[in-house]
Amino acid sequence: DPLKIPLGEFELKLVPKGVTQNTGNDADSLWADSTAWILTNITTGESVTSDTSLAYKNEQIILASTTGKDVLDWGMAVTINQVAAPGVDPVRNLSNGFINWSVTFQDPSNEWLSAVSDNDAGNANQYGAYDWIRSGINGKLQGFNDPSFHDYASNGGALDPDSKYESIWDGRIAPNRLVSNTSEAVSPGRPQTLVQPMTFGYQAMQGIGLDKLSSVDIVLTPDESKWSECVMLEMGEDPGLNQDQVEKFAMRTGTLTYKGTNLKPGKTIFPGYAINVNTGERLNIIVGEDSYQRSENGRDMKWNPTDRNGVFNGSYASFGGRHFIYVMGSHKGIAASIHPKLPIYDRGEEYYNLLTSMTPGNRMSTLTKIFQNCDWVIPAIMAPGKSLIENEDGIPTPPNEVKIRLRVGMPYGTTPETSDINEGRPTYKFSTEDIYNDINNENGKKALEMANIVPNPYYAFSGYEGSAIDNRVKFTNLPVNCEISIYTLDGALVRRIKKDDTSTELDWNLKNNANVPIASGLYIIHIDAGELGEKVLKWMGVMRELDLDSF
């Protein structure tokens, strides 16, 4: 209730409610049956405790009528419940933790960015490079022998059986765990070059699910102050054709000059940034390019995809020069030594150090450490006919800002890094300074401008009516005290209603002062709010005929 919101600082904390031990696949999260919440007005010290645990989705209204205490009449409601992490029991968790996505261009007339759309391969002879999201129940779950179009599973069950993560931006974005990571093609007639890994191989993903996914905002922008420094990976399939014979997923060997300074070999500038919206942390980004594809900007150490989404040389998939985007999280996998937690945004320095020290002997372990921290993959290409324009430093620049929102539901859990605050349990603070009900004459005068009558016009029916013989409209956004006068166009008074209560609404049964139904026509309504001023409305009503057959 906006009229009840007080001015103050508030804190919402999740607290134990009985036993706090949790076990099973979601062991890091708070056990729903033994977790409750407390909402505190820090300004006054007053608190409200939840009626139920997080196991129940219960809306708890904090009003005088529900708390029995006028001092807690805050005009707020709290609805909070525990959820399963993505990939945890996807059979019962029908959404599999996925909430929604959006891609918004600042200039809708110039939607310049696109990406490779997933296209499920139906048989072994089809072109499988476009089957890059392995979401669903095809493949080994059905006994198929060709691993190049298995959908991914863990512990005998599909990671995403209902393909919830295959629909993001029409199959243009996917969690790293569900991205094609094998180039194997054992079926006759299906060349190996037709099945290419979009992320590093199967070994990096063993034992890893979807539960570490982060909700992110990925923004590509012409604002250079927000750009990210990052490492660039080689995406070419054949080391013999790549620059300096570098293997796929190793760091590129070229050098980029930015603002008059040479970056470290293998590093580049990405025209954007990524934010973990759950934590507020800026995330590292890794990008790629295919140095074999010189004609598709694949050997210039710049993030500048083309719009070429076909093949060349018969079977080699272009993917716009393979300028893929990898959004890197910051989390630990099943074992810290194999899957360490890598930093949030540090200009890609830790990834640079790992890749610089990579040798043939530690290649597998190094790439495993890196890619288990990858959350999202976008095989970016330009929209047909679009291209980036280089700025004065020669860096390709987006023509307008595009914001990609990816949201997944994460369970409430504990974070050891914040154990000094509420023992690491979630704690949220907010202020009502910009929404509280500041009661004064000046604001009252402004609010009176919003006074209205609905519906207008009235055509013999409104949603406020409860029966066939009920005629009713509603005055809205009214002050506490006012007098409403309703007139015909020739100035005859039809009805006068006085209001003196804290509600903001008032019903009119479409009858005059003698309790007789009014006639159809136009009416003038005058709202007199005393020192707050007055408001005049015009209203038209068409009355329905009395239906005596209904009685």
Short mmCIF file of all heavy atoms in Angstrom, two decimals, residues 59-99:
data_model
loop_
_atom_site.label_atom_id
_atom_site.label_comp_id
_atom_site.label_asym_id
_atom_site.label_seq_id
_atom_site.Cartn_x
_atom_site.Cartn_y
_atom_site.Cartn_z
N GLU A 59 2.66 -15.13 0.98
CA GLU A 59 2.70 -13.67 1.00
C GLU A 59 2.29 -13.18 2.39
O GLU A 59 1.17 -13.44 2.83
CB GLU A 59 1.76 -13.07 -0.05
CG GLU A 59 1.82 -11.54 -0.06
CD GLU A 59 0.85 -10.92 -1.06
OE1 GLU A 59 -0.31 -11.37 -1.11
OE2 GLU A 59 1.25 -10.01 -1.78
N GLN A 60 3.19 -12.51 3.05
CA GLN A 60 2.92 -12.00 4.40
C GLN A 60 2.84 -10.48 4.33
O GLN A 60 3.81 -9.79 4.05
CB GLN A 60 4.03 -12.43 5.35
CG GLN A 60 3.73 -12.08 6.80
CD GLN A 60 4.66 -12.82 7.75
OE1 GLN A 60 5.09 -13.94 7.46
NE2 GLN A 60 4.97 -12.21 8.88
N ILE A 61 1.64 -9.98 4.59
CA ILE A 61 1.38 -8.54 4.50
C ILE A 61 1.68 -7.89 5.84
O ILE A 61 1.25 -8.36 6.89
CB ILE A 61 -0.08 -8.28 4.09
CG1 ILE A 61 -0.36 -8.94 2.73
CG2 ILE A 61 -0.38 -6.79 4.04
CD1 ILE A 61 -1.80 -8.86 2.30
N ILE A 62 2.42 -6.80 5.80
CA ILE A 62 2.83 -6.12 7.02
C ILE A 62 2.02 -4.84 7.16
O ILE A 62 2.44 -3.74 6.81
CB ILE A 62 4.34 -5.84 7.01
CG1 ILE A 62 5.10 -7.15 6.76
CG2 ILE A 62 4.80 -5.21 8.33
CD1 ILE A 62 6.57 -6.97 6.52
N LEU A 63 0.79 -5.02 7.64
CA LEU A 63 -0.14 -3.91 7.87
C LEU A 63 -0.68 -4.03 9.29
O LEU A 63 -0.59 -5.09 9.92
CB LEU A 63 -1.29 -3.94 6.87
CG LEU A 63 -0.95 -3.69 5.40
CD1 LEU A 63 -2.16 -3.93 4.53
CD2 LEU A 63 -0.46 -2.26 5.22
N ALA A 64 -1.30 -2.96 9.77
CA ALA A 64 -1.85 -2.99 11.11
C ALA A 64 -2.88 -4.11 11.26
O ALA A 64 -2.96 -4.76 12.29
CB ALA A 64 -2.48 -1.64 11.45
N SER A 65 -3.65 -4.36 10.18
CA SER A 65 -4.71 -5.37 10.26
C SER A 65 -4.16 -6.78 10.37
O SER A 65 -4.84 -7.69 10.82
CB SER A 65 -5.61 -5.27 9.03
OG SER A 65 -4.84 -5.45 7.85
N THR A 66 -2.89 -6.99 9.97
CA THR A 66 -2.31 -8.33 10.02
C THR A 66 -1.32 -8.50 11.17
O THR A 66 -1.11 -9.60 11.65
CB THR A 66 -1.58 -8.66 8.71
OG1 THR A 66 -0.55 -7.69 8.50
CG2 THR A 66 -2.53 -8.66 7.54
N THR A 67 -0.73 -7.40 11.64
CA THR A 67 0.23 -7.49 12.75
C THR A 67 -0.39 -7.14 14.09
O THR A 67 0.13 -7.54 15.12
CB THR A 67 1.41 -6.54 12.51
OG1 THR A 67 0.93 -5.19 12.48
CG2 THR A 67 2.10 -6.85 11.20
N GLY A 68 -1.49 -6.40 14.05
CA GLY A 68 -2.11 -5.97 15.30
C GLY A 68 -1.37 -4.83 15.97
O GLY A 68 -1.70 -4.45 17.09
N LYS A 69 -0.37 -4.28 15.30
CA LYS A 69 0.42 -3.19 15.88
C LYS A 69 0.49 -2.04 14.88
O LYS A 69 0.97 -2.20 13.77
CB LYS A 69 1.84 -3.67 16.20
CG LYS A 69 1.91 -4.83 17.18
CD LYS A 69 3.35 -5.27 17.39
CE LYS A 69 3.44 -6.45 18.33
NZ LYS A 69 4.84 -6.90 18.53
N ASP A 70 -0.01 -0.88 15.30
CA ASP A 70 0.01 0.27 14.40
C ASP A 70 1.43 0.64 14.00
O ASP A 70 1.68 1.10 12.89
CB ASP A 70 -0.66 1.47 15.08
CG ASP A 70 -2.16 1.30 15.19
OD1 ASP A 70 -2.71 0.47 14.42
OD2 ASP A 70 -2.78 1.97 16.03
N VAL A 71 2.40 0.43 14.91
CA VAL A 71 3.76 0.83 14.61
C VAL A 71 4.34 0.01 13.46
O VAL A 71 5.30 0.42 12.81
CB VAL A 71 4.65 0.68 15.86
CG1 VAL A 71 4.90 -0.79 16.20
CG2 VAL A 71 5.98 1.41 15.69
N LEU A 72 3.78 -1.18 13.19
CA LEU A 72 4.26 -2.02 12.10
C LEU A 72 3.38 -1.91 10.87
O LEU A 72 3.38 -2.81 10.03
CB LEU A 72 4.33 -3.48 12.57
CG LEU A 72 5.27 -3.74 13.74
CD1 LEU A 72 5.30 -5.21 14.07
CD2 LEU A 72 6.67 -3.22 13.46
N ASP A 73 2.63 -0.85 10.76
CA ASP A 73 1.76 -0.64 9.61
C ASP A 73 2.61 -0.06 8.48
O ASP A 73 2.56 1.13 8.20
CB ASP A 73 0.62 0.30 9.99
CG ASP A 73 -0.55 0.18 9.04
OD1 ASP A 73 -0.46 -0.63 8.10
OD2 ASP A 73 -1.55 0.88 9.23
N TRP A 74 3.41 -0.93 7.81
CA TRP A 74 4.42 -0.46 6.88
C TRP A 74 3.96 -0.45 5.43
O TRP A 74 4.70 0.00 4.55
CB TRP A 74 5.67 -1.34 6.98
CG TRP A 74 6.38 -1.22 8.29
CD1 TRP A 74 6.19 -0.27 9.24
CD2 TRP A 74 7.38 -2.11 8.78
NE1 TRP A 74 7.02 -0.49 10.30
CE2 TRP A 74 7.77 -1.62 10.05
CE3 TRP A 74 7.99 -3.25 8.29
CZ2 TRP A 74 8.73 -2.23 10.83
CZ3 TRP A 74 8.97 -3.86 9.06
CH2 TRP A 74 9.33 -3.37 10.31
N GLY A 75 2.80 -0.98 5.13
CA GLY A 75 2.33 -1.01 3.74
C GLY A 75 3.16 -1.89 2.84
O GLY A 75 3.24 -1.66 1.63
N MET A 76 3.81 -2.91 3.41
CA MET A 76 4.66 -3.80 2.62
C MET A 76 4.15 -5.23 2.69
O MET A 76 3.33 -5.58 3.54
CB MET A 76 6.10 -3.78 3.16
CG MET A 76 6.77 -2.43 3.14
SD MET A 76 8.46 -2.60 3.80
CE MET A 76 8.94 -0.87 3.89
N ALA A 77 4.66 -6.06 1.79
CA ALA A 77 4.40 -7.49 1.84
C ALA A 77 5.69 -8.21 1.46
O ALA A 77 6.46 -7.73 0.63
CB ALA A 77 3.27 -7.88 0.89
N VAL A 78 5.92 -9.35 2.06
CA VAL A 78 7.12 -10.15 1.78
C VAL A 78 6.67 -11.51 1.25
O VAL A 78 5.87 -12.20 1.89
CB VAL A 78 7.98 -10.34 3.04
CG1 VAL A 78 9.17 -11.25 2.72
CG2 VAL A 78 8.46 -9.00 3.57
N THR A 79 7.15 -11.86 0.07
CA THR A 79 6.91 -13.19 -0.50
C THR A 79 8.27 -13.77 -0.88
O THR A 79 8.96 -13.24 -1.73
CB THR A 79 6.02 -13.12 -1.75
OG1 THR A 79 4.79 -12.45 -1.42
CG2 THR A 79 5.70 -14.51 -2.26
N ILE A 80 8.65 -14.86 -0.23
CA ILE A 80 9.98 -15.43 -0.46
C ILE A 80 9.92 -16.93 -0.21
O ILE A 80 9.26 -17.39 0.72
CB ILE A 80 11.00 -14.75 0.47
CG1 ILE A 80 12.43 -15.06 0.05
CG2 ILE A 80 10.78 -15.09 1.92
CD1 ILE A 80 13.46 -14.21 0.78
N ASN A 81 10.53 -17.70 -1.09
CA ASN A 81 10.59 -19.15 -0.89
C ASN A 81 11.84 -19.71 -1.55
O ASN A 81 12.40 -19.10 -2.45
CB ASN A 81 9.34 -19.84 -1.43
CG ASN A 81 9.23 -19.77 -2.94
OD1 ASN A 81 9.06 -18.69 -3.49
ND2 ASN A 81 9.33 -20.90 -3.60
N GLN A 82 12.28 -20.87 -1.07
CA GLN A 82 13.48 -21.50 -1.61
C GLN A 82 13.16 -22.17 -2.95
O GLN A 82 12.03 -22.63 -3.18
CB GLN A 82 14.00 -22.55 -0.62
CG GLN A 82 15.31 -23.20 -0.99
CD GLN A 82 16.47 -22.22 -1.07
OE1 GLN A 82 16.46 -21.31 -1.91
NE2 GLN A 82 17.46 -22.40 -0.22
N VAL A 83 14.15 -22.19 -3.83
CA VAL A 83 14.01 -22.83 -5.14
C VAL A 83 15.18 -23.77 -5.36
O VAL A 83 16.20 -23.69 -4.68
CB VAL A 83 13.95 -21.79 -6.29
CG1 VAL A 83 12.76 -20.88 -6.14
CG2 VAL A 83 15.25 -20.99 -6.35
N ALA A 84 15.03 -24.67 -6.32
CA ALA A 84 16.12 -25.57 -6.68
C ALA A 84 17.05 -24.87 -7.67
O ALA A 84 16.63 -24.05 -8.48
CB ALA A 84 15.57 -26.85 -7.29
N ALA A 85 18.32 -25.22 -7.62
CA ALA A 85 19.29 -24.67 -8.56
C ALA A 85 19.07 -25.24 -9.95
O ALA A 85 18.49 -26.33 -10.10
CB ALA A 85 20.71 -24.99 -8.09
N PRO A 86 19.48 -24.53 -11.00
CA PRO A 86 19.40 -25.08 -12.36
C PRO A 86 20.06 -26.45 -12.43
O PRO A 86 21.14 -26.67 -11.88
CB PRO A 86 20.15 -24.05 -13.20
CG PRO A 86 20.02 -22.77 -12.44
CD PRO A 86 20.06 -23.17 -11.00
N GLY A 87 19.39 -27.38 -13.09
CA GLY A 87 19.95 -28.71 -13.27
C GLY A 87 19.74 -29.65 -12.11
O GLY A 87 20.04 -30.83 -12.22
N VAL A 88 19.22 -29.14 -10.98
CA VAL A 88 18.96 -30.01 -9.83
C VAL A 88 17.54 -30.53 -9.93
O VAL A 88 16.58 -29.76 -9.83
CB VAL A 88 19.17 -29.25 -8.50
CG1 VAL A 88 18.76 -30.11 -7.31
CG2 VAL A 88 20.62 -28.81 -8.37
N ASP A 89 17.39 -31.80 -10.17
CA ASP A 89 16.10 -32.45 -10.31
C ASP A 89 15.25 -31.78 -11.40
O ASP A 89 14.17 -31.26 -11.13
CB ASP A 89 15.34 -32.44 -8.97
CG ASP A 89 14.22 -33.47 -8.94
OD1 ASP A 89 14.04 -34.18 -9.95
OD2 ASP A 89 13.51 -33.55 -7.93
N PRO A 90 15.73 -31.77 -12.66
CA PRO A 90 14.98 -31.10 -13.73
C PRO A 90 13.67 -31.79 -14.08
O PRO A 90 12.84 -31.20 -14.78
CB PRO A 90 15.96 -31.15 -14.91
CG PRO A 90 16.83 -32.32 -14.64
CD PRO A 90 16.99 -32.37 -13.15
N VAL A 91 13.47 -33.01 -13.61
CA VAL A 91 12.20 -33.69 -13.88
C VAL A 91 11.07 -33.05 -13.09
O VAL A 91 9.99 -32.76 -13.62
CB VAL A 91 12.31 -35.19 -13.56
CG1 VAL A 91 10.96 -35.88 -13.74
CG2 VAL A 91 13.36 -35.85 -14.45
N ARG A 92 11.32 -32.79 -11.79
CA ARG A 92 10.29 -32.16 -10.97
C ARG A 92 10.31 -30.64 -11.08
O ARG A 92 9.28 -29.99 -10.98
CB ARG A 92 10.46 -32.58 -9.51
CG ARG A 92 10.01 -34.01 -9.24
CD ARG A 92 9.97 -34.32 -7.77
NE ARG A 92 11.30 -34.27 -7.15
CZ ARG A 92 11.51 -34.43 -5.84
NH1 ARG A 92 10.49 -34.64 -5.03
NH2 ARG A 92 12.74 -34.39 -5.37
N ASN A 93 11.49 -30.08 -11.28
CA ASN A 93 11.63 -28.63 -11.45
C ASN A 93 11.46 -28.33 -12.94
O ASN A 93 12.42 -28.31 -13.71
CB ASN A 93 13.00 -28.17 -10.95
CG ASN A 93 13.20 -26.68 -11.07
OD1 ASN A 93 12.25 -25.92 -11.30
ND2 ASN A 93 14.43 -26.24 -10.93
N LEU A 94 10.21 -28.13 -13.37
CA LEU A 94 9.89 -28.09 -14.79
C LEU A 94 10.62 -26.98 -15.54
O LEU A 94 10.93 -27.12 -16.72
CB LEU A 94 8.38 -27.95 -14.97
CG LEU A 94 7.53 -29.12 -14.43
CD1 LEU A 94 6.06 -28.87 -14.69
CD2 LEU A 94 7.97 -30.44 -15.04
N SER A 95 10.90 -25.87 -14.89
CA SER A 95 11.62 -24.78 -15.56
C SER A 95 13.12 -25.03 -15.59
O SER A 95 13.84 -24.33 -16.28
CB SER A 95 11.33 -23.45 -14.88
OG SER A 95 11.92 -23.42 -13.59
N ASN A 96 13.58 -26.04 -14.82
CA ASN A 96 14.99 -26.37 -14.72
C ASN A 96 15.83 -25.17 -14.27
O ASN A 96 17.00 -25.03 -14.64
CB ASN A 96 15.53 -26.92 -16.04
CG ASN A 96 16.76 -27.80 -15.85
OD1 ASN A 96 17.10 -28.16 -14.73
ND2 ASN A 96 17.42 -28.14 -16.94
N GLY A 97 15.21 -24.28 -13.51
CA GLY A 97 15.92 -23.12 -13.00
C GLY A 97 15.97 -21.93 -13.93
O GLY A 97 16.41 -20.85 -13.54
N PHE A 98 15.50 -22.10 -15.17
CA PHE A 98 15.54 -20.99 -16.12
C PHE A 98 14.36 -20.07 -15.89
O PHE A 98 13.22 -20.52 -15.72
CB PHE A 98 15.52 -21.52 -17.55
CG PHE A 98 15.55 -20.43 -18.59
CD1 PHE A 98 16.64 -19.60 -18.70
CD2 PHE A 98 14.47 -20.23 -19.43
CE1 PHE A 98 16.67 -18.59 -19.65
CE2 PHE A 98 14.49 -19.22 -20.38
CZ PHE A 98 15.60 -18.40 -20.49
N ILE A 99 14.61 -18.76 -15.86
CA ILE A 99 13.54 -17.78 -15.64
C ILE A 99 13.17 -17.08 -16.95
O ILE A 99 12.08 -17.26 -17.47
CB ILE A 99 13.94 -16.75 -14.57
CG1 ILE A 99 14.18 -17.46 -13.22
CG2 ILE A 99 12.85 -15.69 -14.41
CD1 ILE A 99 14.65 -16.54 -12.11
#
